[in-house]
Amino acid sequence: MSLDGDTSTTGDTAQSNTAYGNKAFKRSKSHFADRITADAADGWPVEAGRYRLVISRACPWASRAAVSRRLLGLEDALSLAVTDPLQDDRSWRFTLDPGDEDPVLGIRFLHEAYDAREKEYPGGVSVPAVVDVPSGRLVTNDYQQLTLDLATEWTHLHRAGAPDLYPEALRDEIDEVMDGVYRDLNNGVYRAGFATGQEEYEGAYGDVFRRLDLVSERLAGRRYLVGESITEADIRLFTTLVRFDAVYHGHFKCNRNKLTEDPVLWAYARDLYQTPGFGDTTDFDHIKRHYYGVHAGINPTGIVPAGPDLAGWLTPHHREQLGGRPFGDGTPPGPVPDGEAVPEGHRPLP
């Protein structure tokens, strides 16, 4: 099974990808890596209304796309489908929609779009996924490239005042920061959580907290990871940090300390959470129900913890004292579109 983003496998999802010879978790590359570009080099042109973005709000990889889409104001150009946080052996389900069917694609399970693209594809069904609405075929599940293309190839469809999330002058530095964060933290928490040997677990655990210490040091005197405004690097770090205390600290045994115990990272995460596009796309209920309900090999009882208390996410962070402008020369996104709001009770409200 592939584990590009989060897959459809029930039970101990990622352990199906463990190389048991060395007891180490390994993440597969995206199988469907077509790009949607302005020049249509891969046969998929950027076109308003043609594609549908399928996400799970539980998945950190999919959450990147949700944040980027909102910051860039692509809601009218790229429609959104949100799956149930729990999968079964038929893949991600559209049970949150009337009749348990996606109203645009007319399918009940995401695997149907994968099958339309490649019959009997042997890998996992992962999110985020972009589907071509006219044909019902999967276009891409390349979660690493997707958000970069939204920022650079979809520019003529961006809202007025959209931020530049991948500024050309800073790309080398952004890429360097993102590479370390991905290797040691975004993927490192999974390597720790799904390790089947003590040595592999401790190695991943060490990577996670070494990287957290490095980014904490980097952010002590600057508001954002690279430059003076939010970039792709901040989005990728945020989607792991926002899950840390709720899931990774206990469920994945990354328990040296909680996010709330690092003053710099906790303030940084709150700053982003309180920025439109971040907190308003975060669903703590889906996050907890997915991880604790699907990973039966780690949590065989399926009990979902009642905590942690989420009220702290709305407390003052004082990061504005470091300067910087969240959207650079741009402006904040507008209100969350009708039908896309995270349900009441799934995140803290003022």
Side-chain angles (χ1 to χ4, degrees):
M1 282 288 182
S2 166
L3 196 72
D4 307 323
D6 268 312
T7 69
S8 65
T9 325
T10 54
D12 200 356
T13 312
Q15 283 198 9
S16 63
N17 295 275
T18 299
Y20 287 98
N22 61 18
K23 302 180 181 179
F25 166 81
K26 293 185 178 180
R27 186 175 299 279
S28 303
K29 292 183 178 180
S30 297
H31 181 75
F32 299 102
D34 288 5
R35 295 176 59 193
I36 303 170
T37 57
D39 64 4
D42 285 355
W44 303 102
V46 173
E47 184 178 325
R50 176 169 174 176
Y51 306 101
R52 189 155 175 82
L53 173 64
V54 181
I55 68 165
S56 164
R57 293 199 188 276
C59 169
W61 321 101
S63 292
R64 296 176 178 182
V67 173
S68 297
R69 172 181 174 270
R70 176 137 164 69
L71 292 177
L72 298 172
L74 289 170
E75 292 98 329
D76 290 337
L78 178 64
S79 66
L80 182 71
V82 178
T83 69
D84 191 301
L86 298 178
Q87 313 111 303
D88 61 24
D89 58 1
R90 295 165 293 183
S91 81
W92 295 98
R93 310 174 297 172
F94 294 103
T95 52
L96 304 180
D97 295 302
D100 297 345
E101 180 179 285
D102 181 81
V104 173
L105 299 174
I107 58 177
R108 299 181 63 204
F109 303 96
L110 182 54
H111 83 77
E112 296 174 59
Y114 277 69
D115 288 346
R117 170 68 184 271
E118 183 177 318
K119 196 67 175 174
E120 299 180 357
Y121 156 65
V125 177
S126 66
V127 290
V130 178
V131 179
D132 178 49
V133 174
S135 68
R137 298 169 63 213
L138 177 77
V139 176
T140 181
N141 66 353
D142 189 345
Y143 65 99
Q144 296 279 51
Q145 187 62 44
L146 172 59
T147 48
L148 298 180
D149 284 343
L150 292 180
T152 60
E153 298 289 336
W154 291 63
T155 52
H156 70 282
L157 295 175
H158 289 180
R159 65 178 175 87
D164 186 351
L165 299 176
Y166 195 47
E168 191 167 0
L170 298 176
R171 286 180 189 177
D172 287 346
E173 186 178 359
I174 291 172
D175 289 347
E176 181 181 3
V177 170
M178 292 193 306
D179 180 66
V181 167
Y182 170 79
R183 182 183 61 250
D184 296 335
L185 188 55
N186 300 146
N187 197 47
V189 292
Y190 282 84
R191 290 192 291 112
F194 290 112
T196 58
Q198 189 69 31
E199 181 179 354
E200 290 70 30
Y201 159 70
E202 291 183 5
Y205 173 99
D207 289 342
V208 167
F209 286 100
R210 178 175 60 84
R211 185 60 55 180
L212 283 173
D213 289 343
L214 287 171
V215 293
S216 180
E217 181 180 355
R218 182 182 182 93
L219 289 164
R222 59 193 303 165
R223 191 171 180 184
Y224 303 110
L225 282 171
V226 183
E228 297 297 316
S229 59
I230 291 164
T231 68
E232 175 78 12
D234 297 293
I235 296 171
R236 295 188 182 195
L237 177 57
F238 172 80
T239 57
T240 292
L241 293 184
V242 80
R243 289 162 172 76
F244 201 87
D245 287 4
V247 175
Y248 302 141
H249 179 271
H251 186 58
F252 277 179
K253 305 181 185 68
C254 295
N255 60 356
R256 189 194 74 180
N257 58 269
K258 296 178 180 177
L259 176 68
T260 54
E261 295 167 347
D262 184 307
V264 172
L265 291 181
W266 177 221
Y268 166 80
R270 299 200 317 276
D271 186 5
L272 290 178
Y273 184 86
Q274 294 169 32
T275 300
F278 289 85
D280 56 27
T281 59
T282 300
D283 190 319
F284 285 103
D285 175 78
H286 280 203
I287 289 168
K288 293 199 302 181
R289 283 202 290 134
H290 170 73
Y291 280 92
Y292 290 101
V294 169
H295 300 154
I298 298 176
N299 186 39
T301 65
I303 293 173
V304 179
D309 184 0
L310 301 177
W313 284 99
L314 301 180
T315 59
H317 53 77
H318 306 298
R319 294 279 294 178
E320 66 278 357
Q321 297 174 6
L322 295 173
R325 298 172 297 157
F327 306 102
D329 293 330
T331 58
V336 176
D338 292 342
E340 293 191 9
V342 173
E344 188 173 345
H346 289 203
R347 65 185 184 95
L349 295 174

